[in-house]
Amino acid sequence: NAGVTQTPKFRILKIGQSMTLQCTQDMNHNYMYWYRQDPGMGLKLIYYSVGAGITDKGEVPNGYNVSRSTTEDFPLRLELAAPSQTSVYFCASSSQTTSVRTDTQYFGPGTRLTVL
Amino acid sequence: SQKIEQNSEALNIQEGKTATLTCNYTNYSPAYLQWYRQDPGRGPVFLLLIRENEKEKRKERLKVTFDTTLKQSLFHITASQPADSATYLCALVGSGTYKYIFGTGTRLKVLA
């Protein structure tokens, strides 16, 4: 299994441009998450999904959109990029199949985004 | 507002000693607390999960305690090795939600 894969690894955007960060997992996990991590800071939850077709906002959703059309993919869309969105973005997934939560999140390698 | 505090200063310890990292939280009643390891340029890797009704959890050289009265978790690495050098993050989540809250992490450096 490849686990959680993210593309691209690096990207530089100009202010006002748009882009989609891709995230794919091959573990058949029903839960997927997007986080951002600024230097010296913890992870901030942007959006999450509990299954295909279901998404919900996290702590910092403004300026982002997501969709979950399949179990495997959870792309993150940035519209009208701003310098404040310069960060490292991590995608994660977990499996919750029973009433007992295990909550182990598996993270991807991250996408380093710079907005100039 | 909900807040998680981890010691932002790096922790340097000598090889073979026990490293103890702290995670304090306020304005929150987590059902689960997790610890992750993060190496530079990589995504976090899950280490341990402890539930609100558990006092202690162990895995090999790792031990986590969870005191819901003090609102604190301690993370111990016994017989530390230089390979344990990394940033360690704690994360909390409530019982009825999947919105995780992460601390800023503590950087551990084990000196040979």
Side-chain angles (χ1 to χ4, degrees), chain B residues 35-47:
Chain B
W35 284 89
Y36 288 81
R37 170 184 172 138
Q38 187 174 25
D39 291 290
R42 294 181 174 266
V45 174
F46 172 81
L47 296 174

Side-chain angles (χ1 to χ4, degrees), chain B residues 63-81:
Chain B
K63 184 178 86 171
V64 171
T65 62
F66 193 11
D67 190 326
T68 55
T69 301
L70 291 178
K71 295 187 181 294
Q72 181 183 77
S73 174
L74 298 178
F75 177 77
H76 306 273
I77 305 175
T78 58
S80 59
Q81 304 165 1

